[in-house]
Amino acid sequence: MDKYILALDQGTSSSRAIVFDHSGNTVSVAQKEFTQYFPKPGWVEHDPMEIFSSQAGVAVEAISALGLTGTEIAAIGITNQRETTIVWDAESGEPVHNAIVWQDRRTSEYCDSLKAAGLTDKIREKTGLIIDAYFSGTKIRWILENVPGAREKAAAGKLRFGTVDSWLVWNLTGGKVHITDVSNASRTMLFNINTLQWDHELLDLMGIPASMMPEVRSSSEVYGTTDGHGLPLGVPIAGIAGDQQAALFGQMCTEPGSVKNTYGTGCFLLMNTGTSPIMSKNNLLTTIAWKIGDTVNYALEGSIFVGGSVIQWLRDGLGIIKSSAEVEELAKTVPDNGGVYFVPALTGMGAPWWDQYAKGCIHGITRGTTAGHIARAALEGIAFQTMDIVNAMEKDAGVKLAELKVDGGASRDNLLMQFQADILGTNVIRPQVTETTAKGACYLAGLATGFWGSVEEIRSQWLSERVFSPEAADDQVRTLKEGWADAIRRTINNL
């Protein structure tokens, strides 16, 4: 009997389910977008019940399309939008507030107070992270401070916290299992990446009871089994990784020094640094990539808050395109950016700048500027931000980037990928399967259940679809970099 792995890919704007066969091929896909809530400027929320119902719905749809039964699904792997924070009642399973999304900036002032208290170095040493509203810890604190009765319930041990992976597992197992994996735990600003434990000093600092926190497990093991929601009963849930770590694994960046960039809502550049954490001196994050068996792999990460979402803004905010797919054709209507630079700091700026108050800016507009120039500058802004992180990563790791593996929706844009190769001066490699996030979760679940025997067996399934090599002249690249540096300086200094 043929068996399959079901990957649940719960993202920022949609929930997807992908069924993979033993050769790593995609055999069924279902996807559903869900509602984004913006209650105040800088605030971003999701409905946790809609997150779960959309994810369960597409899971049923994907396996039903193939007519699969529970015995034909070897395991379920989960990958998820990270840092997004959900707090729910342990008895009823009802959320006490909407999910606070990773993009949300409402805790920026509290983060400033932590920096003012001189806690930057301590928190970085423990967690590998910069103090920022991006991470889960300050979001949990906000819920406890602002939802009536939440702090009292938490103190009584009646509330549970989870990132989206925990929320899915809780619901899929009928409330029997409250866990997370090390990759997601390392994004909370509450987890000590050296001891692999929740840090009680940080929990106390933010007033978060330890009883709220999920048990932290490896990224590849059987956590529990399914219990309803239209899915076959008793299917093992066996792999979890935050979306960017899952993509690193799906790209088979399993050797130290290997690098991938995912072009999704945001962009996330990760370098595998092996079994020892490298603490960044250049404003990158040190994070856990995954834990398989007793071995923990670490990574350096640069987070770009606005990547593909700038294309959504061109569509929904400016209205200069009707669908995201049109941006490449619009950008091709001009031979270059015409001196226009777009710094897409629409939700602050991530690595290596970490300016949570920065606002997006388009520089160099003249009477000759067209919609094509704006579209091209938006795409180039994604590549320039990636370049800034690569530069920081090379300094931290002490190695020159040999190649960049790419994935995510915007990696299908050939104009963007060619520009990325030009501006980096290195090969950009796009795999045949760009849905590497789901594939990473699939592989982790398959390893845990013996579906695949080893990482080496999996590695043979990774295939390149296209290599983009640098083509631009050196003087052209130098001029482009100078223009971007000036645009960044003006944005950060609000000039």
Side-chain angles (χ1 to χ4, degrees), residues 20 34 46 79 81 168 205 263 363 386 391 394 420 440 488:
F20 292 93
F34 56 87
H46 295 155
T79 184
Q81 53 166 316
L168 294 180
L205 173 69
Y263 299 78
H363 300 277
T386 300
N391 292 340
E394 288 178 336
Q420 189 72 83
I488 286 285

Side-chain angles (χ1 to χ4, degrees), residues 345-367:
L346 307 184
T347 55
M349 292 185 70
W353 310 106
W354 293 106
D355 184 344
Q356 53 192 5
Y357 300 108
K359 299 290 192 295
C361 293
I362 303 175
H363 300 277
I365 297 173
T366 67
R367 281 291 299 273

Side-chain angles (χ1 to χ4, degrees), residues 10-299:
Q10 205 300 300
T12 307
S13 57
S14 69
S15 296
R16 294 187 310 145
I18 303 179
V19 180
F20 292 93
D21 66 15
H22 194 267
S23 299
N25 298 315
T26 300
V27 293
S28 180
V29 182
Q31 180 168 354
K32 183 178 176 60
E33 291 192 4
F34 56 87
T35 311
Q36 310 288 310
Y37 297 95
F38 307 99
K40 292 184 182 180
W43 292 29
V44 190
E45 295 180 358
H46 295 155
D47 177 352
M49 303 306 290
E50 190 181 7
I51 287 176
F52 179 69
S53 64
S54 62
Q55 187 64 76
V58 292
V60 171
E61 186 181 337
I63 62 175
S64 297
L66 298 173
L68 299 182
T69 65
T71 56
E72 293 166 299
I73 304 171
I76 293 173
I78 293 174
T79 184
N80 55 284
Q81 53 166 316
R82 304 172 305 170
E83 299 94 19
T84 294
T85 297
I86 303 171
V87 175
W88 66 92
D89 186 292
E91 295 170 353
S92 69
E94 292 290 320
V96 302
H97 190 272
N98 270 349
I100 301 180
V101 180
W102 58 272
Q103 299 160 311
D104 190 282
R105 312 307 298 168
R106 76 186 65 186
T107 62
S108 294
E109 288 187 9
Y110 175 65
C111 289
D112 288 342
S113 73
L114 294 177
K115 294 173 189 173
L119 292 166
T120 299
D121 290 343
K122 174 178 282 194
I123 288 175
R124 188 201 293 266
E125 287 163 10
K126 287 173 177 281
T127 68
L129 305 178
I130 305 279
I131 295 174
D132 193 82
Y134 178 26
F135 305 109
S136 310
T138 63
K139 302 180 196 301
I140 304 170
R141 177 185 178 275
W142 187 94
I143 289 173
L144 296 182
E145 293 285 316
N146 290 277
V147 174
R151 183 158 295 288
E152 291 74 21
K153 273 192 169 184
K158 294 181 178 178
L159 292 187
R160 299 290 179 266
F161 152 74
T163 40
V164 170
D165 58 306
S166 299
W167 174 242
L168 294 180
V169 172
W170 172 277
N171 283 284
L172 287 170
T173 61
K176 295 184 183 72
V177 180
H178 184 217
I179 57 100
T180 188
D181 90 300
V182 289
S183 72
N184 280 293
S186 73
R187 311 299 298 185
T188 59
M189 217 164 78
L190 298 169
F191 187 71
N192 191 312
I193 63 170
N194 306 295
T195 65
L196 305 183
Q197 302 287 331
W198 295 118
D199 192 284
H200 287 273
E201 184 180 3
L202 296 180
L203 288 170
D204 291 345
L205 173 69
M206 297 190 202
I208 299 168
S211 61
M212 293 181 67
M213 308 306 288
E215 179 186 353
V216 182
R217 307 274 282 273
S218 78
S219 308
S220 181
E221 63 176 279
V222 176
Y223 312 106
T225 58
T226 53
D227 185 15
H229 303 289
L231 289 167
L233 298 177
V235 178
I237 302 166
I240 296 175
D243 52 11
Q244 303 314 318
Q245 291 96 326
L248 190 70
F249 196 74
Q251 286 274 36
M252 285 289 99
C253 292
T254 54
E255 297 299 318
S258 49
V259 183
K260 73 88 197 173
N261 193 24
T262 296
Y263 299 78
T265 303
C267 290
F268 300 89
L269 194 77
L270 272 74
M271 173 187 283
N272 187 330
T273 61
T275 55
S276 299
I278 294 176
M279 290 299 169
S280 176
K281 295 181 174 63
N282 295 280
N283 284 332
L284 300 181
L285 307 177
T286 303
T287 198
I288 295 178
W290 50 75
K291 181 183 179 187
I292 299 175
D294 294 325
T295 303
V296 177
N297 271 67
Y298 293 85

Side-chain angles (χ1 to χ4, degrees), residues 302-321:
S303 309
I304 296 169
F305 294 156
V306 175
S309 58
V310 73
I311 300 169
Q312 294 173 331
W313 181 77
L314 294 180
R315 181 193 68 194
D316 303 334
L318 283 190
I320 62 173
I321 54 175

